[in-house]
């Protein structure tokens, strides 16, 4: 099994293009880099630079009240803000701590720049996939409200293109759903592995004890049908706010050193020294890889949450998820990167994983910093785990039908993987998550190209009405002038 995972990993993240550089080194690009960067650029151009042009409108969408569909209660549907919280639970979580650490450890400071690039152009990709998820959502008889995501919009689109004849399964939807479940099992391993490492460094607690407690607490929450969103509504704003506040204070305390940090980031992103040493391609690959792992743009994860909302305009949820990418990578990931890069390299040399981040926080805050990161990681881990299991709901239903039995069996599997990950080696547990998210991205991006016209028509109509009367566009009683699917 490990051999298969490694082969698929090499296919997705291995060298597809190798360009020779002076000094005998080379610039190497993987399949995922070749897929994500062009897709992000293409959708950014098609949306006319949406992340910049419509940034104020992204903020406006958060204040829309939760809708109420016919026959549904307010408890079974999500507001735009709640979908942002659910997706932020996984974005502002493991990727912001462990993902940034992994990117800088493997790719140097230059990887941070490529994480920023992935986020900026990825916002447009996130808009397209979330808008499609809203357009193609369907009622959820298992949990109530709505469900959807790539497996569903791929299925409906292909079904319509083939004459509208109903099918139980569509091949690429099945592949995406399976990849998603693989990815989220892998992330479960990363969660427990990072938490046990952090608590061992901070409190010298044996990994087995931390793992058992983590799995037990997670089980208490996930087997309660309505607990996930309620817990995330409270947990995510508090944990993200506290982490952001602490890191901003530390950055301000080291303000005079920031020019040197930014100089290092740009030098290592484009510098001759990194190119000659063969580190340029490594920085690009690890920046894109961890940027994707953190903000999920293009992977198809966040649309599973976006589909659960009740909204009169699909583009509102698209804009909300585009904002989520900005919050995750440009804001929170940058905070982590600055904390690490403001630490003297001599103090972190040779350290990897959570030891590296805790060494950086220890430099800034002493023993409190080590404890703070351990506690923060614990909270981030809970939010990430709850978020990925929320994503898994719709994919499980697509593969195995409506019913709580397959839902609960997957929860058990995720808990088992969490237990295994807590006792595994740090470098091993990333591979399964990277394989899963890589496969999801390949299948999702393949379908986003032909389906993007639907999202573009929805955006065009939304902006036209928005420009004419922004108050009416944001009001909950607004009725769209047309159905973008039918016109497309």
């Amino acid at each position: 099994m490990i051999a298969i995972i490694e082969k698929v990993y090499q296919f997705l993240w291995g060298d597809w293009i190798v360009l020779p550089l002076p000094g005998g080194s080379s610039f190497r690009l993987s399949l995922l880099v070749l897929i994500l960067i062009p897709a992000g650029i293409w959708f950014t151009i098609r949306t006319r630079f949406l992340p910049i042009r419509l940034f104020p409108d992204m903020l406006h969408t958060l204040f829309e009240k939760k809708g109420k569909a016919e026959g549904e209660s307010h408890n079974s549907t999500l507001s735009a803000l709640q979908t942002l919280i659910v997706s932020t639970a996984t974005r502002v979580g493991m990727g912001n701590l462990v993902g940034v650490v992994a990117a800088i450890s493997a790719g140097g400071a230059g990887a941070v720049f490529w994480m920023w690039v992935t986020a900026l152009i990825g916002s447009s990709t996130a808009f397209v996939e979330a808008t499609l998820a809203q357009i193609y959502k369907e009622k959820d008889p298992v949990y109530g409200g709505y469900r959807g995501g790539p497996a569903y919009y791929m299925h409906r689109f292909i079904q319509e293109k083939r004459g509208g004849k109903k099918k139980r399964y569509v091949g690429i939807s099945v592949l995406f759903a399976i990849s998603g479940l693989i990815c989220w099992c892998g992330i479960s391993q990363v969660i427990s592995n990072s938490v046990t490492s952090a608590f061992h460094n901070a409190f010298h607690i044996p990994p087995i004890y931390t793992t058992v407690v983590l799995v037990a607490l997670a089980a208490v929450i996930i087997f309660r049908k309505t607990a996930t969103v309620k817990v995330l509504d409270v947990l995510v704003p508090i944990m993200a706010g506290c982490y952001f506040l602490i890191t901003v204070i530390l950055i301000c305390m080291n303000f005079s050193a920031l020019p040197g940090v930014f100089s290092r980031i740009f030098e290592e992103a484009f510098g001759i020294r990194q190119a000659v040493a063969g580190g340029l391609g490594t920085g690009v690959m690890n920046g894109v890889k961890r940027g994707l792992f953190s903000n999920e743009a293009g992977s198809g994860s966040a649309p599973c949450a976006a589909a659960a909302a009740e909204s009169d305009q699909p583009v509102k949820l698209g804009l909300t998820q585009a904002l989520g990418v900005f919050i995750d990578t440009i804001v929170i990931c940058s905070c982590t990167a600055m904390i690490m890069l403001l630490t003297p390299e001599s103090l972190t040399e040779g350290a990897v994983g959570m030891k590296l981040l805790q060494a950086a926080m220890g430099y800034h805050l002493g023993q409190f910093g080590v404890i703070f990161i351990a506690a923060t990681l614990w909270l981030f881990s809970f939010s990430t785990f709850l978020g990925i299991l929320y994503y898994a709901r719709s994919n499980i239903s697509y593969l195995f039908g409506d019913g709580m039995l397959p839902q609960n069996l997957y929860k058990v599997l995720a808990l088992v993987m969490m237990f295994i990950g807590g006792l595994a080696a740090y470098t091993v547990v990333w591979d399964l998550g990277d394989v899963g998210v890589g496969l999801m991205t390949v299948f999702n991006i393949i379908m986003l190209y032909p389906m993007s016209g639907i999202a573009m028509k929805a955006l065009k109509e939304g902006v036209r009405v928005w420009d004419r009367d922004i108050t009416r566009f944001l009001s909950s009683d607004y009725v769209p002038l047309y159905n973008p699917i039918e016109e497309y």
Side-chain angles (χ1 to χ4, degrees), residues 48-98:
R48 293 190 295 145
F49 298 90
L50 176 144
I52 300 173
R53 183 170 60 94
L54 297 180
F55 185 79
D57 302 328
M58 295 179 191
L59 299 177
H60 280 300
T61 60
L62 299 181
F63 300 101
E64 182 193 29
K65 293 182 179 180
K66 180 167 64 175
K68 185 176 180 181
E70 183 179 353
E72 296 289 342
S73 69
H74 278 285
N75 291 329
S76 58
T77 59
L78 303 184
S79 67
L81 180 58
Q82 285 178 311
T83 65
L84 179 64
I85 287 174
V86 171
S87 60
T88 300
T90 56
R91 286 178 175 143
V92 182
M94 300 303 300
N96 300 90
L97 296 181
V98 187

Side-chain angles (χ1 to χ4, degrees), residues 270-285:
F270 299 103
I272 297 177
R273 179 173 62 85
Q274 283 70 32
V276 174
L280 181 58
T282 302
V284 174
M285 188 184 74

